[in-house]
Amino acid sequence: MDDCFVVWDDCLEKIREKVGESSFKTWFSPIRPKGFGDDSIILEVPNNFFHEWINEHFLSLVKDIVLKVCNKTNVEFVVTERGEKKKRGKVLNIRNDNFFKNSSFVKNNFQDEDNISGLNPKYNFGNFIEGDCNQLAKSSAESVGMNPLNNPFNPLMIYGDVGLGKTHLLHAIGNKIIENDMSKRVVCIQSTVFVDQFINSIRSNNSQEFSSFYSHVDALLLDDVQFLKDKEKTQEILFYVFNQLHQLGKEIVLTSDRPPTELVGLQDRLVSRFKWGLTVNLTVPDLETKIAILKSKASNNVNISDSVIEYIAQRVNSNVRELEGVMITAVAKTSSEHNLDIETLQNIINNISSNDIEIDRISYCVSDYFKISIDDIFGQSRQKDIATARKVAMYFAKKYTKCSLKTIGSLIGGRDHSTVVHAVNNIETLVKTEKGMKKLIDNINKEVKKRLQMKM
Ligand code: ADP
Ligand code: MG
């Protein structure tokens, strides 16, 4: 067997070409190869932050390269120090559930039959920091988590801008329900996946099974319902499921990036149902809450000084995801460069919180518009509509940020500089030659401008 160091060195060379020097230094230099699994290479990363960041931003790139270099299809990460072992949360296991055990819908739609609840164990109420910005949302979510049956907050609708903790709360509710009663059927699902499942079920003449499955859950946790926009048939079936569950006192929790009244492209009768229970809002945390969030994230993983935390909290004013982004890079730099001076910190904030974040904002806008998940835009799929959306995101990133083409490529889909040039040229030509494309770009342009100005 090849020595894992030799193999990983080979991979590193190729990764360096793709991601550029600064990302490479921050994210890849600290990784150590540990060996091989049956179909994987095992890599050691310094902490959980690192692990999550790499998973989110570079996993498909790393997988592609590993596959090419040593023919392994998987990449496994282990966390070095103070490592919390990867916990598997309590999950709905259909093997213990006769109704679901026999459902062909489950077999066709859930890859992991041992975990159809789709809950991420890392999101719980214990690690959700409370402040004025989220107090009502958190307490009502906790109430639902403790008493999901016949709860007066049904549905609970949580709305707020990107990165403010909607998904965190949604999963925390599900985890709490299952913690109290393992037999509860909790299903937590992204609206885009919900739509895909419904389309598949129609294709295989099985829509009955789809509605039957969802009408038999104890709690339906549906993330980002704005993505149901214009999906008439899915909305109809959701309306039916909603009524079934509501009548039985089963809980429904929804999240959205806007208040129900602004959910365009959703049927009135559905939106009016969404307003039956309680609607709560998440807003941007104040300074003290930001500091508390950063401290809680830091305490699990690394030593980072209070002054660094305060510095970050004072200067990042948008949302918690951005706070985390800056913090993660600061942590990575601390482990590679020990002392973090203010200049380095300010650079991180400038880079992450302006460039990366602007690119994030643009990509979210484009993903909304094309109704394609953000993971697809950042991912590697070559499917036509996804590839077009990605090109559009690159086009706007070039138009509105100061990032180099190389950075844009590495942030959007791990592509190289020439792919970005090609994408931007392609969109510019289409704008000139196709009316439809011009209109589309004009519309997205308005949205992008709005989001970029929204410094909050
Ligand atoms: P949204 O779904 O609103 O876009 P997420 O729930 O994905 O946002 O949150 C983004 C990140 O910020 C997650 O890692 C989440 O754990 C973290 N986060 C958000 N709000 C809080 C909070 N109040 N306390 C701790 N972490 C938070
Ligand atoms: Mg979310």
Side-chain angles (χ1 to χ4, degrees), residues 8-32 50 53-54 58 61-62 65 332-333 336 406 410:
W8 182 239
D9 260 358
D10 213 1
C11 296
L12 280 179
E13 232 173 81
K14 299 191 161 55
I15 290 172
R16 186 197 292 262
E17 284 166 20
K18 293 274 183 198
V19 302
E21 202 50 42
S22 90
S23 284
F24 181 83
K25 251 179 99 182
T26 312
W27 300 112
F28 293 96
S29 300
I31 296 180
R32 297 281 165 270
F50 228 91
W53 187 266
I54 294 201
F58 299 112
L61 170 79
V62 176
I65 289 176
K333 291 261 180 198
S336 59
K406 196 167 171 181
S410 79

Side-chain angles (χ1 to χ4, degrees), residues 50-69:
F50 228 91
H51 181 194
E52 283 165 24
W53 187 266
I54 294 201
N55 254 337
E56 231 171 77
H57 293 84
F58 299 112
L59 188 61
S60 37
L61 170 79
V62 176
K63 270 183 153 179
D64 276 359
I65 289 176
V66 165
L67 182 67
K68 275 187 203 131
V69 171

Side-chain angles (χ1 to χ4, degrees), residues 52 122-123 127-130 133-134 160-169 223-224 282 289 293 296-297 320-321 324 364:
E52 283 165 24
K122 83 174 182 182
Y123 295 135
N127 61 17
F128 189 84
I129 305 298
E130 192 174 313
C133 55
N134 59 32
D161 227 307
V162 155
L164 293 179
K166 302 181 292 295
T167 299
H168 189 133
L169 281 180
D223 207 1
D224 290 321
L282 292 171
T289 313
I293 291 175
S296 92
K297 305 258 171 205
V320 182
R321 200 190 305 255
E324 277 183 352
Y364 269 102

Side-chain angles (χ1 to χ4, degrees), residues 55-282:
N55 254 337
E56 231 171 77
H57 293 84
F58 299 112
L59 188 61
S60 37
L61 170 79
V62 176
K63 270 183 153 179
D64 276 359
I65 289 176
V66 165
L67 182 67
K68 275 187 203 131
V69 171
C70 64
N71 217 15
K72 299 277 184 193
T73 48
N74 261 323
V75 179
E76 277 177 64
F77 291 102
V78 292
V79 174
T80 336
E81 31 73 270
R82 309 177 193 96
E84 304 158 21
K85 287 217 180 75
K86 198 175 172 216
K87 278 186 254 156
R88 175 154 187 156
K90 292 185 173 170
V91 292
L92 173 57
N93 184 336
I94 63 155
R95 288 187 218 289
N96 305 328
D97 190 310
N98 281 333
F99 176 76
F100 287 150
K101 198 158 62 180
N102 300 320
S103 157
S104 62
F105 172 77
V106 169
K107 292 201 176 70
N108 294 334
N109 286 280
F110 293 91
Q111 280 174 345
D112 183 358
E113 287 183 16
D114 286 339
N115 179 12
I116 58 175
S117 42
L119 292 167
N120 187 336
K122 83 174 182 182
Y123 295 135
N124 53 55
F125 290 117
N127 61 17
F128 189 84
I129 305 298
E130 192 174 313
D132 289 346
C133 55
N134 59 32
Q135 206 163 29
L136 182 59
K138 186 185 178 197
S139 61
S140 36
E142 271 185 308
S143 151
V144 167
M146 293 303 289
N147 304 298
L149 194 65
N150 293 321
N151 194 297
F153 308 148
N154 193 15
L156 176 64
M157 167 78 157
I158 304 169
Y159 77 91
D161 227 307
V162 155
L164 293 179
K166 302 181 292 295
T167 299
H168 189 133
L169 281 180
L170 195 69
H171 285 252
I173 293 172
N175 285 321
K176 181 51 89 184
I177 297 174
I178 289 187
E179 190 186 309
N180 289 336
D181 181 352
M182 265 296 273
S183 69
K184 282 276 183 290
R185 295 171 181 156
V186 178
V187 176
C188 181
I189 187 158
Q190 258 292 330
S191 295
T192 47
V193 180
F194 188 76
V195 171
D196 287 346
Q197 287 183 350
F198 179 58
I199 294 172
N200 285 340
S201 76
I202 296 180
R203 223 181 267 152
S204 51
N205 264 333
N206 238 343
S207 56
Q208 195 80 41
E209 285 238 16
F210 176 93
S211 49
S212 167
F213 171 81
Y214 281 106
S215 304
H216 280 84
V217 301
D218 294 305
L220 172 60
L221 315 177
L222 194 55
D223 207 1
D224 290 321
V225 293
Q226 72 273 9
F227 290 127
L228 298 173
K229 184 177 176 210
D230 300 334
K231 302 283 194 279
E232 297 291 333
K233 288 271 178 260
T234 314
Q235 291 182 30
E236 262 169 42
I237 205 110
L238 177 60
F239 183 74
Y240 168 82
V241 168
F242 187 106
N243 290 338
Q244 297 284 319
L245 294 178
H246 201 270
Q247 253 170 22
L248 296 168
K250 304 294 173 73
E251 183 67 32
I252 302 139
V253 186
L254 310 149
T255 75
S256 157
D257 68 352
R258 63 204 77 185
T261 42
E262 290 172 23
L263 280 167
V264 283
L266 261 70
Q267 296 163 5
D268 289 346
R269 59 179 190 163
L270 195 56
V271 174
S272 96
R273 292 287 191 280
F274 289 176
K275 293 190 283 192
W276 269 2
L278 178 70
T279 299
V280 289
N281 185 10
L282 292 171

Side-chain angles (χ1 to χ4, degrees), residues 362-363 366 377 388-398 412:
I362 289 169
S363 305
V366 174
I377 297 212
T388 308
R390 195 179 296 126
K391 282 186 205 166
V392 170
M394 289 175 174
Y395 166 87
F396 281 113
K398 167 151 186 287
I412 305 180

